[in-house]
Amino acid sequence: MSNKNSTYAILEAIQHEMRNDPHLTMLYEYQRPVAADPLGNVIDLYKEFGDLRIPDWGPIDEEWLLGGAAGIAMTGVRAISHLPSMTTVRCFELVFNQVGKLRHMTGGQVNMPLVVWQDASGRRPGSAGQHADAGQEALYAAIPGVKVVIPANAYDAKGLFTAALRDPDPVIFFQYGAAINGVQIDVPDDPYVIPLGEAAIRQEGTDLTIVGYGPAAVEINKAAPDLKSFGISAEIIDPRTLKPLPIDPIIASVRKTGRLLVVDHGHESHGTASEIIARVAMAVPGAKFGRSTFPDAPPPGAREMIAWMTPDAPKVVEASKKMMQP
Amino acid sequence: MSNKNSTYAILEAIQHEMRNDPHLTMLYEYQRPVAADPLGNVIDLYKEFGDLRIPDWGPIDEEWLLGGAAGIAMTGVRAISHLPSMTTVRCFELVFNQVGKLRHMTGGQVNMPLVVWQDASGRRPGSAGQHADAGQEALYAAIPGVKVVIPANAYDAKGLFTAALRDPDPVIFFQYGAAINGVQIDVPDDPYVIPLGEAAIRQEGTDLTIVGYGPAAVEINKAAPDLKSFGISAEIIDPRTLKPLPIDPIIASVRKTGRLLVVDHGHESHGTASEIIARVAMAVPGAKFGRSTFPDAPPPGAREMIAWMTPDAPKVVEASKKMMQP
Amino acid sequence: MHEDKSETVMTPDEETKRPARGGVSRRNFLQFAGAVGATTAFVSKARVASAGNGWTTSLDDFPKEKLVGMYRTMLKSRTWEDTFKELFLAGKDGLYGAFHMSIGMEASSVGTISALREDDYIASNHRGHSHLIAKGGDLNKMSAELFFKQTGYNKGFGGSMHITDVSKGILGMNGIIGPQYLFAAGAGYSAKVRGTDQVAVAFGGDGSVNNGWYYSGLRNAALYKLPMIAIVENNGYQIAMPQERTNNLRNLSDLGAGLDIAYETVNGMDVLAVHTVMQRAVARARAGEGPTLIETKTYRFMDHSGLAGAKPGVLGAFGLPYRSDSEVRAWIAEDPIPKLRRQLIANDIITDAEADQVVAEVKQLVDDSIEFARSSPLTIPEAGLENVFAGTSVAASQFVGI
Amino acid sequence: MHEDKSETVMTPDEETKRPARGGVSRRNFLQFAGAVGATTAFVSKARVASAGNGWTTSLDDFPKEKLVGMYRTMLKSRTWEDTFKELFLAGKDGLYGAFHMSIGMEASSVGTISALREDDYIASNHRGHSHLIAKGGDLNKMSAELFFKQTGYNKGFGGSMHITDVSKGILGMNGIIGPQYLFAAGAGYSAKVRGTDQVAVAFGGDGSVNNGWYYSGLRNAALYKLPMIAIVENNGYQIAMPQERTNNLRNLSDLGAGLDIAYETVNGMDVLAVHTVMQRAVARARAGEGPTLIETKTYRFMDHSGLAGAKPGVLGAFGLPYRSDSEVRAWIAEDPIPKLRRQLIANDIITDAEADQVVAEVKQLVDDSIEFARSSPLTIPEAGLENVFAGTSVAASQFVGI
Ligand SMILES: Cc1ncc(C[n+]2csc(CCOP(=O)(O)OP(=O)(O)O)c2C)c(N)n1
Ligand SMILES: Cc1ncc(C[n+]2csc(CCOP(=O)(O)OP(=O)(O)O)c2C)c(N)n1
Ligand SMILES: [Mg+2]
Ligand SMILES: [Mg+2]
């Protein structure tokens, strides 16, 4: 039990499942799965499981990592496909037309025990264009037949990754840069499961419901003390899973607060915020809704620009104040 | 002026622009662009413009059709990329990380006068899995830097295609099977433009706002007489463009009717319906919202199943009646 | 009538589309067909020349059961598809949906798959009935799936283009061109992880080689020396587009040279030639020597999909805008099923009567499967919400639930 | 300290990640480096052997201005990157963002691009500063872009990895591996449509050849005989992954055999050898003979990105976990810039003093560009909403507007 970062926590989850399942295999690209915890313990999956199940060689070819892993999974071998952060949709068609559809299309015959471990950059300065993206989890959540998970801290990362590895269906697991050391939290050494589709209520409150996951959850967490100091009693919810979306606790909360603010580092249009607001709007007529999202623009490189465009803790506070105006 | 189908109408638009622009080039796959109108006039772009600008040969390789056309467009030659219906997201990454981003990423340097003419099957029986899809326009509308258009009839198809061809930015143009002979309407022979981002108010009404485009618009149109006969005064709006989304007339309408039903042949989660409802919910507190969409499942093959799952005219009527309940 | 025309000339529903003839030379194909004709006319017990690839096969190398088995399996595929063709034409049984026939291509599917073991894998494409039947697919379940019945392989979810039998290593037909190569490479990887010597085979048409997934599947199979075999069934057309207008290689297997893997092009109208080439590839795969790329030169006697140009009781589709009838006839002259029958009889392996007996048995199986399909129940509409995820249903969001 | 370790050992930010050494043999590369060393030690006016590809080039074939121009351009690229390296190391100017140096690879960029015309196109990758400078990129605007200033090529939107100058046929650097090949093929198609004889060149690393877009770009260029050239700059590594562990070809250009196109592998440390090979490819392209695939065997002296292993005033990055220092030194011995200088002086094309003069001029240009960047204004935050579409801004949706 220590303050592990999410990568270490994920490797713990994988290591445990690999020890129990002699076939579980991970395909990945140039990022050998090695990490250390604060106590100096090192997990090196390659060293432990060798070149076949953790092949420490291979091409820059995300379609192989995904499509090959799907072929592995279809033959009854649980597989992980670890994809780099700038290629969040490089294999979108394979997920859309194959991975997500095969069970249904075959009348239930094809099992797809596949976890796609998708790195995601988030809104970092100096990268621009393709290397500072966020929000693509919403695109995957639009695909029937895949589940989508986005932890905001290492504890959730481990529990959700374990759940994903034990699921018979494909799970897309987004690991954002901001969530690696995001919210510091102790992570047990033993395996545990956080069921897919369970929200975490980070803080209870009565004035305003604030919903956000991944990098947005990290910013909301930072904003919490300020909100208190401004006298706003916010109920803070991290859905953690986008599909299945745990909408019930959010609806229950908005029934109580009458106000919903969704914060998202994805784009304004057709992002997660829309889906959450729409579902609550159908269930709670008369509530007040707001969203704070990255604009409908690619991420610019210059720090001034991208920082101004990103919903960070100060903007969460500002938005909350606006939501509280009559 | 005659009752052309949308394919003929689109070819008219392309033919006119190609006659004015000696370079405009279209890449396509195995579907030679030939069509005839009801009077027997035939447009054969290949015959008129030849093997270079209308190459009637080439591979089954959508990434070439899209990526090659992007390369053509980047060098100042207006291009069309015509993609088949089962590959609605085969080139998603190229649109997401290149076509949509290049202008922004280069500080405005790169023009991308590219029209992606995307065929779309819609919810037809007997095809299953990958050949009866709908709703992927919502995925593209989530991408910054691309515009998205979905005509429901031949008149709109021609006017919007012409607008797309004169736009300096990439436009994804979805042509659904249902919209080819969808709503019969006369199409002028001369060129005309329907500006991107303008909704069509198909019917004015005071009780309920019904919004849908493409195949859903065709079904709403069929439902209209029944709605009248049940005494429901529906305001029917076809946005026609998803990006830029003409939300203002929808908001104005819901301010009047107090009720919004969105019908969509895409999936329940993260589809167009969410975006429209969320935007209206933020603007019109207290309104009542409903959506009728295809479920979060791939399209099954058997007629009984897919027909039951598809929001057709009878379901639009049922949904409207439910919306009118107190 | 006029409206009809504009509809049939071009709609986004590519399955019904008939581009006008491209005016391209059919030289390559006719040449090839000619070569086949010249060599396979010679039928002898000692040596059967299999044209086009320089390999020769002798019937002596095959046990009788193997030969008769191949004949029976080709016939099963032919008869099953032909029976459905007649049902579609007759407009009976309310059949609908996609239907891509392999008629004419049975030597390619049967020649390759008969060199596999039961526990090997195949990943098939849209034109895969014949692959499935060769791999032991159950005709009853196949027929029921074409009827979109509950008892079908895919319980009516898939139809003709998606039939799958995971229990028999059939990873499925597929409506998208290309993923087969990745799936087969992945299945080969899986065999290595599990320490078996299973082989995984991807099937694709000449249209599938211009796809990044083809390159990726083969290249990674080469890198990791996977027990993967790619069968490119070059039937000369991609819907109505002639193959030579889509790729600048004359023999599609030549890509193998650039990947540094084993590759061969074989006469796909000769089941024994195909089988011989495949046996070598399988042996290489099981020995850990990596992938092989095989091109079978073949032809589909019918149209791309559906019934255009087909007539009841007539073999082949004629009068299509993109190919000449004489080309079709040249290839029908190479029909691998009567060819094998002639060889078997000429070489005293079976008698004419025994061959007829096989025909009758196969016909019975097929007819029984149609009866099974006919008498099976339709799907339940609500079932469409199942099988998205294991063990649950999704919401019926088509209904507004206020 | 411990926390630091777990962070630097692995984060999803691959740019900062240092996988542990794979324990793979460097034999191929050392062999190659050895061969280069052996042959280019011999410098004569009559013949310069360019190792590795069997071609020989003579200085006699090049006009003096061309030779001095190549020297100047390689030096410009080297000096510009080196100056930024020193600025980054000094921690001055608050520099941030991606930074991939081409140091050591200048013979590949300059040798190829100096065979092009001004109106030809290049599509570059993440390691493209040197391509841009060779194609005539403006140092002031490049420097300002690295400073993320308004006056930069991309107005601060792009930074180091995305510099673009459409007016000079530079279709842009790009942060994603692979699309270059499609863009260049498309640009070649565009030239055909417009009836020009322009050529389009795609640049990619050894890591880019395992990508469907590479296959697609080349294959379609072959089919349509497009004036397209692919330059694969094989510097032996993909971040920390050695090339021989990613593809089973020894010479990556060999794929050309399977595509039936022209292909060559050339010593990428010899600017004249590269230029000679490229001239042939350009001539073929302009003559309508289709694409060429060229592999330049080269090496990056620095780390993949950023400053690991770099020291002020020292050429090369040492002590990196994935390569040996002696390997780095072997390649630095082949540094193409002093090599060309030695040749030019030994062959009496320029004097030592003239060469120093070039060095001084280049240094001045680079220093001026840094001054220009420093004194330019920062971007305006609100500008980030522009340039999504032509002539409009998108909404500032980060603020709730109630
Ligand atoms: C990726 C993709 N693009 C396009 C199609 C549409 N399509 C279906 S079959 C076909 C032709 C395939 O030709 P080929 O591979 O030669 O197989 P054949 O039908 O001749 O057996 C095409 C283009 C598809 N299914 N998938
Ligand atoms: C499609 C894609 N996958 C992964 C990456 C991450 N990435 C950036 S550079 C790089 C290595 C590239 O190696 P190579 O092509 O040899 O070029 P080099 O850096 O050696 O010049 C990788 C994997 C990317 N940018 N794009
Ligand atoms: Mg074919
Ligand atoms: Mg490299």
Side-chain angles (χ1 to χ4, degrees):
Chain A
M1 184 99 153
S2 66
N3 226 320
K4 300 155 186 167
N5 72 16
S6 351
T7 302
Y8 188 88
I10 291 169
L11 294 192
E12 266 189 348
I14 298 175
Q15 183 184 47
H16 183 268
E17 301 302 303
M18 286 187 80
R19 285 179 180 169
N20 284 340
D21 174 347
H23 299 145
L24 175 48
T25 295
M26 177 161 88
L27 301 183
Y28 61 101
E29 191 177 289
Y30 70 79
Q31 309 179 38
R32 182 161 163 189
V34 187
D37 75 357
L39 310 175
N41 299 308
V42 173
I43 298 180
D44 182 337
L45 297 182
Y46 172 68
K47 221 162 153 187
E48 179 168 353
F49 299 104
D51 232 11
L52 200 51
R53 295 171 63 201
I54 303 288
D56 196 39
W57 54 308
I60 300 173
D61 179 1
E62 293 80 17
E63 302 206 284
W64 159 248
L65 300 183
L66 193 298
I72 293 175
M74 285 165 79
T75 53
V77 171
R78 201 165 281 275
I80 303 169
S81 171
H82 188 181
L83 303 174
S85 62
M86 73 299 293
T87 64
T88 48
V89 295
R90 183 68 183 84
C91 309
F92 198 72
E93 142 82 16
L94 284 170
V95 177
F96 171 76
N97 256 341
Q98 304 295 338
V99 166
K101 285 180 175 169
L102 278 166
R103 179 186 296 280
H104 193 263
M105 201 159 92
T106 62
Q109 284 186 72
V110 169
N111 278 309
M112 190 61 82
L114 171 68
V115 178
V116 179
W117 175 4
Q118 177 66 67
D119 291 343
S121 319
R123 304 301 184 184
R124 55 180 179 157
S127 297
Q130 303 119 343
H131 285 68
D133 252 314
Q136 286 71 55
E137 59 282 347
L139 299 169
Y140 286 98
I143 298 181
V146 298
K147 302 181 179 178
V148 180
V149 167
I150 328 98
N153 63 53
Y155 181 86
D156 287 358
K158 180 170 174 180
L160 290 165
F161 211 102
T162 302
L165 281 174
R166 296 181 184 175
D167 203 278
D169 286 302
V171 179
I172 321 282
F173 184 101
F174 270 79
Q175 186 188 19
Y176 275 94
I180 291 180
N181 292 294
V183 181
Q184 293 297 314
I185 189 166
D186 274 347
V187 178
D189 299 333
D190 285 338
Y192 57 93
V193 161
I194 297 176
L196 306 182
E198 266 189 18
I201 299 184
R202 302 291 184 200
Q203 177 180 299
E204 306 211 347
T206 51
D207 291 342
L208 167 67
T209 305
I210 307 181
V211 176
Y213 58 80
V218 173
E219 295 301 318
I220 295 169
N221 182 61
K222 281 189 209 154
D226 270 359
L227 290 172
K228 260 197 199 109
S229 76
F230 284 112
I232 300 175
S233 166
E235 181 137 308
I236 298 176
I237 303 182
D238 177 354
R240 298 190 294 199
T241 305
L242 266 191
K243 198 158 202 171
L245 180 67
I247 197 69
D248 292 345
I250 300 174
I251 289 174
S253 176
V254 179
R255 286 223 167 92
K256 182 171 63 174
T257 63
R259 295 182 187 84
L260 172 63
L261 170 66
V262 185
V263 185
D264 185 21
H265 284 201
H267 299 283
E268 179 182 19
S269 295
H270 298 268
T272 310
S274 321
E275 182 61 26
I276 294 173
I277 291 174
R279 287 188 183 252
V280 177
M282 288 189 283
V284 191
K288 191 168 170 181
F289 301 99
R291 60 183 176 190
S292 169
T293 71
F294 198 86
D296 280 346
R303 182 179 280 139
E304 312 81 68
M305 293 198 275
I306 194 166
W308 179 76
M309 290 160 77
T310 303
D312 53 8
K315 289 193 195 76
V316 172
V317 175
E318 278 316 298
S320 301
K321 285 191 200 162
K322 277 235 175 92
M323 291 292 296
M324 293 310 298
Q325 283 167 17
Chain B
M1 182 102 151
S2 68
N3 225 321
K4 302 155 186 168
N5 71 17
S6 349
T7 302
Y8 188 88
I10 291 169
L11 293 192
E12 267 189 347
I14 297 176
Q15 183 183 49
H16 183 267
E17 300 302 303
M18 285 188 80
R19 285 179 180 170
N20 285 339
D21 174 348
H23 299 143
L24 175 48
T25 295
M26 177 161 88
L27 302 183
Y28 61 101
E29 189 177 290
Y30 70 81
Q31 309 179 35
R32 182 160 163 189
V34 187
D37 76 358
L39 310 174
N41 299 308
V42 172
I43 298 180
D44 182 336
L45 296 182
Y46 171 67
K47 222 162 153 186
E48 180 168 354
F49 299 105
D51 232 10
L52 200 51
R53 295 172 63 200
I54 303 288
D56 197 39
W57 54 308
I60 300 174
D61 179 1
E62 293 79 17
E63 301 206 283
W64 159 247
L65 300 183
L66 193 297
I72 293 175
M74 284 165 80
T75 53
V77 171
R78 203 165 279 275
I80 302 170
S81 172
H82 188 181
L83 303 174
S85 62
M86 73 300 291
T87 63
T88 48
V89 296
R90 182 68 181 87
C91 310
F92 198 71
E93 142 82 16
L94 283 170
V95 177
F96 171 76
N97 255 341
Q98 304 295 336
V99 166
K101 286 180 175 169
L102 278 166
R103 180 186 296 280
H104 192 264
M105 201 159 90
T106 62
Q109 283 186 72
V110 169
N111 277 308
M112 188 63 79
L114 171 69
V115 178
V116 179
W117 176 4
Q118 177 66 66
D119 292 344
S121 320
R123 304 302 183 183
R124 55 181 180 155
S127 298
Q130 303 118 344
H131 285 69
D133 252 314
Q136 287 72 52
E137 59 282 347
L139 299 170
Y140 286 98
I143 298 181
V146 299
K147 302 181 181 178
V148 180
V149 167
I150 328 99
N153 63 54
Y155 180 86
D156 287 358
K158 179 169 175 180
L160 289 166
F161 211 102
T162 302
L165 281 173
R166 296 181 186 176
D167 202 278
D169 287 303
V171 180
I172 321 282
F173 183 102
F174 270 80
Q175 187 190 17
Y176 275 94
I180 290 180
N181 292 293
V183 181
Q184 293 297 316
I185 190 167
D186 274 346
V187 178
D189 299 334
D190 285 338
Y192 56 94
V193 161
I194 297 177
L196 307 181
E198 266 190 18
I201 300 183
R202 302 290 184 203
Q203 177 180 296
E204 305 212 348
T206 51
D207 291 342
L208 167 67
T209 305
I210 308 183
V211 175
Y213 59 80
V218 173
E219 295 301 319
I220 295 168
N221 181 63
K222 282 188 207 151
D226 271 358
L227 290 172
K228 259 196 198 111
S229 75
F230 285 111
I232 299 175
S233 166
E235 181 135 310
I236 298 176
I237 303 181
D238 177 354
R240 299 192 291 199
T241 305
L242 266 190
K243 197 153 200 173
L245 179 67
I247 197 69
D248 291 346
I250 300 175
I251 289 174
S253 176
V254 180
R255 287 224 166 93
K256 181 170 63 174
T257 63
R259 295 181 188 85
L260 172 64
L261 170 66
V262 185
V263 185
D264 185 21
H265 283 201
H267 300 283
E268 179 182 19
S269 295
H270 299 268
T272 310
S274 321
E275 182 62 24
I276 294 173
I277 291 174
R279 286 188 184 252
V280 176
M282 288 189 284
V284 191
K288 191 169 171 182
F289 301 99
R291 59 182 177 190
S292 169
T293 72
F294 198 86
D296 280 346
R303 183 180 281 138
E304 312 82 67
M305 292 198 276
I306 194 166
W308 179 75
M309 290 160 77
T310 303
D312 53 8
K315 289 194 195 76
V316 172
V317 174
E318 278 317 297
S320 301
K321 285 191 198 163
K322 279 237 175 90
M323 293 291 297
M324 293 310 297
Q325 284 167 17
Chain C
M1 157 75 201
H2 277 130
E3 282 182 40
D4 264 348
K5 193 175 171 209
S6 71
E7 254 189 281
T8 54
V9 174
M10 186 169 182
T11 78
D13 177 358
E14 67 300 326
E15 303 295 345
T16 64
K17 217 164 286 168
R18 294 281 131 256
R21 186 157 176 189
V24 115
S25 150
R26 295 291 173 292
R27 196 163 21 93
N28 290 355
F29 283 99
L30 292 179
Q31 263 182 12
F32 182 74
V36 173
T39 51
T40 50
F42 168 67
V43 178
S44 101
K45 174 137 187 164
R47 294 219 152 271
V48 178
S50 44
N53 67 330
W55 294 108
T56 55
T57 46
S58 159
L59 265 65
D60 293 339
D61 299 338
F62 297 91
K64 172 177 169 172
E65 317 78 69
K66 190 92 200 173
L67 292 168
V68 179
M70 288 192 208
Y71 178 61
R72 181 188 301 274
T73 310
M74 288 200 292
L75 204 58
K76 221 163 143 181
S77 175
R78 172 72 56 94
T79 309
W80 186 83
E81 285 195 332
D82 198 56
T83 304
F84 267 97
K85 175 204 122 187
E86 298 291 338
L87 288 179
F88 266 104
L89 277 177
K92 285 200 354 187
D93 292 303
L95 292 177
Y96 62 99
F99 183 54
H100 302 83
M101 288 177 270
S102 303
I103 287 176
M105 297 169 62
E106 295 90 346
S108 176
S109 41
V110 174
T112 50
I113 294 173
S114 59
L116 295 179
R117 284 198 321 239
E118 244 188 77
D119 65 341
D120 290 328
Y121 297 106
I122 65 166
S124 170
N125 64 350
H126 58 288
R127 198 177 303 287
H129 303 141
S130 193
H131 306 140
L132 268 68
I133 291 173
K135 194 72 173 58
D138 180 314
L139 292 192
N140 284 4
K141 292 185 184 172
M142 286 181 66
S143 292
E145 190 60 32
L146 261 79
F147 277 70
F148 293 103
K149 294 293 183 74
Q150 278 185 41
T151 53
Y153 255 126
N154 302 22
K155 300 185 179 148
F157 283 71
S160 153
M161 207 160 36
H162 308 102
I163 306 179
T164 299
D165 185 348
V166 174
S167 76
K168 291 193 165 121
I170 298 166
L171 300 179
M173 292 171 63
N174 205 300
I176 296 295
I177 291 172
Q180 296 78 14
Y181 300 103
L182 292 172
F183 293 162
Y189 201 102
S190 155
K192 275 188 106 161
V193 168
R194 286 175 290 115
T196 73
D197 67 346
Q198 290 163 294
V199 168
V201 184
F203 287 89
D206 47 297
S208 71
V209 307
N210 302 318
N211 189 298
W213 298 329
Y214 172 75
Y215 178 61
S216 176
L218 282 170
R219 203 180 26 63
N220 285 291
L223 179 68
Y224 296 113
K225 287 211 179 302
L226 301 179
M228 186 265 205
I229 300 169
I231 311 293
V232 175
E233 302 188 302
N234 182 350
N235 61 12
Y237 293 91
Q238 297 157 36
I239 305 186
M241 183 75 82
Q243 183 265 310
E244 68 270 32
R245 282 172 75 80
T246 61
N247 188 296
N248 68 327
L249 297 182
R250 187 181 158 87
N251 289 321
L252 295 174
S253 76
D254 284 355
L255 179 67
L259 298 172
D260 200 16
I261 59 173
Y263 62 101
E264 304 195 41
T265 289
V266 63
N267 174 6
M269 304 306 274
D270 182 333
V271 69
L272 302 180
V274 172
H275 187 85
T276 305
V277 165
M278 182 69 171
Q279 274 182 319
R280 270 196 297 274
V282 172
R284 249 189 315 263
R286 293 211 208 283
E289 293 166 21
T292 302
L293 169 56
I294 296 173
E295 178 194 26
T296 62
K297 299 258 206 226
T298 180
Y299 199 78
R300 57 167 161 72
F301 296 168
M302 312 306 295
D303 191 20
H304 169 70
S305 126
L307 283 304
K311 286 208 184 106
V314 176
L315 179 63
F318 295 93
L320 298 177
Y322 59 86
R323 66 187 197 181
S324 71
D325 289 352
S326 71
E327 177 182 301
V328 180
R329 282 189 209 100
W331 283 92
I332 288 180
E334 299 306 319
D335 190 338
I337 299 177
K339 186 193 295 183
L340 183 59
R341 181 182 171 126
R342 285 196 305 275
Q343 289 177 256
L344 294 185
I345 292 171
N347 290 285
D348 299 325
I349 290 169
I350 52 172
T351 65
D352 218 50
E354 282 169 333
D356 284 347
Q357 172 70 15
V358 174
V359 172
E361 285 165 13
V362 163
K363 176 144 183 17
Q364 190 58 50
L365 276 175
V366 169
D367 288 346
D368 289 352
S369 81
I370 303 287
E371 260 327 303
F372 174 81
R374 259 190 205 122
S375 58
S376 291
L378 287 174
T379 65
I380 297 164
E382 290 78 359
L385 303 176
E386 297 170 9
N387 291 322
V388 180
F389 297 111
T392 55
S393 284
V394 298
S397 62
Q398 66 273 40
F399 302 112
V400 170
I402 284 181
Chain D
M1 160 74 201
H2 277 130
E3 282 181 42
D4 265 347
K5 195 180 170 204
S6 71
E7 255 189 282
T8 54
V9 173
M10 188 172 181
T11 79
D13 177 358
E14 67 302 324
E15 302 296 345
T16 64
K17 216 165 287 169
R18 294 282 132 255
R21 187 160 176 187
V24 114
S25 149
R26 294 293 173 293
R27 198 164 16 95
N28 291 355
F29 283 99
L30 292 178
Q31 264 181 11
F32 182 74
V36 173
T39 52
T40 50
F42 166 67
V43 178
S44 101
K45 174 136 187 165
R47 292 218 154 271
V48 178
S50 45
N53 67 330
W55 294 109
T56 54
T57 46
S58 158
L59 265 66
D60 293 340
D61 299 338
F62 297 90
K64 171 177 172 173
E65 317 79 70
K66 190 91 199 174
L67 292 168
V68 179
M70 289 190 207
Y71 178 61
R72 181 189 302 274
T73 309
M74 288 201 291
L75 205 58
K76 221 163 142 181
S77 176
R78 172 72 56 95
T79 309
W80 186 83
E81 285 195 331
D82 198 57
T83 304
F84 267 97
K85 175 204 122 189
E86 298 291 336
L87 288 179
F88 267 104
L89 277 178
K92 284 201 355 185
D93 293 302
L95 291 176
Y96 62 100
F99 183 53
H100 302 82
M101 288 176 270
S102 303
I103 288 177
M105 297 168 62
E106 295 89 347
S108 175
S109 42
V110 174
T112 52
I113 294 173
S114 59
L116 295 178
R117 284 197 320 239
E118 243 188 79
D119 66 340
D120 290 328
Y121 297 107
I122 64 167
S124 170
N125 65 351
H126 58 287
R127 198 176 304 288
H129 303 141
S130 192
H131 306 141
L132 268 67
I133 291 173
K135 194 73 173 57
D138 181 314
L139 293 192
N140 284 3
K141 292 186 184 170
M142 287 181 66
S143 293
E145 190 59 32
L146 261 80
F147 277 70
F148 292 104
K149 294 293 184 77
Q150 278 185 40
T151 52
Y153 254 126
N154 302 24
K155 299 184 181 151
F157 283 70
S160 152
M161 209 162 34
H162 309 101
I163 306 178
T164 299
D165 185 347
V166 174
S167 76
K168 291 192 167 121
I170 299 166
L171 300 179
M173 292 171 64
N174 205 301
I176 297 294
I177 291 173
Q180 295 78 15
Y181 300 103
L182 291 172
F183 293 162
Y189 201 101
S190 155
K192 274 187 108 161
V193 168
R194 286 176 289 115
T196 73
D197 67 347
Q198 290 162 293
V199 168
V201 184
F203 287 89
D206 47 297
S208 71
V209 306
N210 301 318
N211 190 298
W213 298 329
Y214 171 75
Y215 178 62
S216 176
L218 282 170
R219 204 182 24 66
N220 284 292
L223 178 67
Y224 296 114
K225 288 212 179 302
L226 302 178
M228 185 265 205
I229 300 169
I231 312 293
V232 174
E233 302 188 299
N234 182 350
N235 61 12
Y237 292 92
Q238 298 157 34
I239 306 187
M241 183 76 83
Q243 183 265 311
E244 68 269 31
R245 281 172 76 80
T246 62
N247 188 297
N248 69 326
L249 297 182
R250 188 180 158 87
N251 288 321
L252 294 174
S253 77
D254 284 355
L255 179 68
L259 298 172
D260 200 16
I261 60 172
Y263 62 101
E264 305 194 41
T265 289
V266 62
N267 175 5
M269 304 306 273
D270 182 334
V271 70
L272 302 180
V274 171
H275 187 86
T276 305
V277 166
M278 182 68 172
Q279 273 182 320
R280 270 195 298 273
V282 171
R284 250 187 317 261
R286 291 210 210 284
E289 293 166 21
T292 302
L293 170 55
I294 296 173
E295 178 194 27
T296 62
K297 298 256 206 231
T298 179
Y299 199 79
R300 56 168 162 72
F301 296 169
M302 313 306 294
D303 190 20
H304 169 70
S305 125
L307 283 304
K311 287 209 182 102
V314 176
L315 179 64
F318 296 92
L320 297 177
Y322 59 86
R323 65 186 197 183
S324 71
D325 290 353
S326 70
E327 177 182 301
V328 180
R329 281 190 209 100
W331 282 92
I332 288 181
E334 298 307 318
D335 190 337
I337 299 177
K339 187 194 297 182
L340 183 60
R341 182 181 170 129
R342 285 195 305 272
Q343 290 178 254
L344 294 186
I345 291 171
N347 290 286
D348 298 325
I349 290 168
I350 51 172
T351 63
D352 218 51
E354 282 169 334
D356 284 347
Q357 172 70 15
V358 174
V359 172
E361 284 166 14
V362 164
K363 174 139 185 20
Q364 190 58 50
L365 276 174
V366 169
D367 289 346
D368 288 353
S369 80
I370 302 288
E371 259 327 301
F372 174 81
R374 259 189 206 126
S375 59
S376 290
L378 286 174
T379 65
I380 296 164
E382 290 78 0
L385 303 175
E386 296 169 10
N387 290 323
V388 180
F389 297 112
T392 55
S393 284
V394 297
S397 62
Q398 66 272 40
F399 303 112
V400 171
I402 286 182

